[in-house]
Amino acid sequence: MLIICQLGTLIIAGVVTTMGLIVPMAAEFFQVGVTEMASQFTWFTGAGLIGQFISFFIFDYFSIKRVMLLSHLFCGLSLVAVHLTVNFELLAIPFFCFGVAISTALCGSSTLIAQVWDGRVRHAAIVGQDAMFNGGGVIFAALTSWFLAHSLPFSSTYLVTFGVITLVIVLMLITDFSMATGTQQESESNLHTEWNSRMVLIGVSLLLYMMAKISVFIWAPQYITEKFSVDPSVGGQFMSNVFTTALIGSIAGTWLVSRVDIKYLVYGFISVSLVATSLLTLIDSVEAMLMLAFVYGISVSATFNAYVAFSLSQVGSPTHRNIAYMLLMSALGSSCAPLFSSRVVENTGSIEAALLACAATLAVVALILVAVEVLSQRHAKTGGQVEQ
């Protein structure tokens, strides 16, 4: 069951972490502009919003296993459809279907972890999902660079991801979900969903963080290629460096979360992300840029799931609606990223402007987290009374 939950993040890594590498080749294939192709990914990231809205309710009526099984099936069919599609306008359909399906599946994975495990074990399992995502970033960035260097279709990476989805479906068919089912029924009958201002603000900061993060993934490889007049493979090396460090950082984060207050991980990741993103446009050599990628990798190593664990620590008994809220905010930020960053590039004519906008967004994220810390201290002084 834990392997199934972890592999869900590997699947989304096959699409999210390769967008910046795929966009130029896909734009050439469909004979459209680069910004137009980047905007097309909004159908995928935006569809995640619908998947998160569905997640608020669907687990009240159907078992987690059934929902996850169908979601993964739709994910696999959607990626095959992307590979077979030759019409640019029709590309929106499989992207949309994949976005809805994978976001619903990821909510199911996080809900399983939250219901089957608790305490620091739960935090470690959730943060461990980032290790899988970043490991996927390393693998898929390298695979995509190799595929493109050998003039293979831009969607070749999606076929590899389809293989992972097939493995997950097989594992679900042979796994006993009875423990999760019993826990789910007990939680639904005895618990209500708790909300408070701290959790809401953490979700807003996650939205902005994801918007900045995905925007960097989309435009940093192209910025490097354009600024230094180098081969696109150098952009692939940048992304590979990012996810190599992110993988190491997420593994370390999985260990640290059992020994350090989760909030300090979140604060540290955001601080490093702000500094590294601000330096992206100030670097004057390819070598320094590739070194900066290792630093930036630390900031994306386990941030998303550290955020989720941090938010769940703000309520007494997390439910799937708490998790769906965080995933919804993440999906909203991710969906805004292609459209937001593309508009900045179109209006300014500069990729550098998009990266600067990302740095400014992360500054706002840091300010929101300061507000959360103030509210947390005030909450502690009042004796930790539940805030509705």
Side-chain angles (χ1 to χ4, degrees), residues 261-308:
D261 193 325
I262 190 67
K263 70 178 182 180
Y264 295 122
L265 282 181
V266 175
Y267 298 163
F269 288 144
I270 295 303
S271 298
V272 174
S273 185
L274 174 58
V275 172
T277 305
S278 300
L279 291 175
L280 280 175
T281 59
L282 302 177
I283 299 298
D284 293 325
S285 70
V286 175
E287 293 76 14
M289 185 69 79
L290 293 178
M291 290 300 296
L292 181 63
F294 289 117
V295 178
Y296 183 71
I298 296 174
S299 73
V300 301
S301 58
T303 312
F304 169 69
N305 284 317
Y307 252 112
V308 174

Side-chain angles (χ1 to χ4, degrees), residues 129-344:
Q129 288 180 306
D130 270 315
M132 187 64 72
F133 178 86
N134 294 320
V138 175
I139 296 170
F140 287 117
L143 278 176
T144 302
S145 296
W146 189 87
F147 288 150
L148 299 181
H150 289 77
S151 301
L152 293 173
F154 75 91
S155 54
S156 298
T157 302
Y158 296 162
L159 296 183
V160 178
T161 308
F162 173 76
V164 178
I165 293 172
T166 302
L167 172 62
V168 173
I169 291 175
V170 172
L171 289 176
M172 280 193 286
L173 290 174
I174 63 175
T175 299
D176 181 9
F177 278 67
S178 58
M179 177 175 20
T181 301
T183 307
Q184 181 185 17
Q185 290 173 345
E186 180 181 352
S187 64
E188 287 174 357
S189 61
N190 297 330
L191 298 178
H192 70 281
T193 302
E194 178 187 340
W195 300 99
N196 56 60
S197 58
R198 301 184 308 283
M199 183 170 197
V200 172
L201 283 175
I202 291 171
V204 173
S205 67
L206 175 60
L207 182 157
L208 296 175
Y209 167 75
M210 291 302 295
M211 186 173 71
K213 171 184 172 180
I214 300 301
S215 295
V216 171
F217 286 174
I218 293 173
W219 296 106
Q222 298 176 64
Y223 174 74
I224 294 171
T225 302
E226 180 183 282
K227 180 175 182 178
F228 300 108
S229 301
V230 293
D231 188 83
S233 63
V234 178
Q237 183 62 49
F238 176 88
M239 295 302 294
S240 181
N241 289 357
V242 167
F243 287 108
T244 297
T245 310
L247 175 60
I248 297 172
S250 56
I251 294 173
T254 304
W255 175 79
L256 279 173
V257 76
S258 64
R259 292 162 175 81
V260 180
D261 193 325
I262 190 67
K263 70 178 182 180
Y264 295 122
L265 282 181
V266 175
Y267 298 163
F269 288 144
I270 295 303
S271 298
V272 174
S273 185
L274 174 58
V275 172
T277 305
S278 300
L279 291 175
L280 280 175
T281 59
L282 302 177
I283 299 298
D284 293 325
S285 70
V286 175
E287 293 76 14
M289 185 69 79
L290 293 178
M291 290 300 296
L292 181 63
F294 289 117
V295 178
Y296 183 71
I298 296 174
S299 73
V300 301
S301 58
T303 312
F304 169 69
N305 284 317
Y307 252 112
V308 174
F310 183 31
S311 69
L312 296 184
S313 70
Q314 305 301 314
V315 296
S317 300
T319 71
H320 66 274
R321 289 188 177 88
N322 295 127
I323 297 170
Y325 167 71
M326 293 303 293
L327 291 172
L328 174 64
M329 300 307 279
S330 173
L332 181 58
S334 299
S335 67
C336 291
L339 187 61
F340 163 74
S341 57
S342 295
R343 290 293 178 268
V344 173

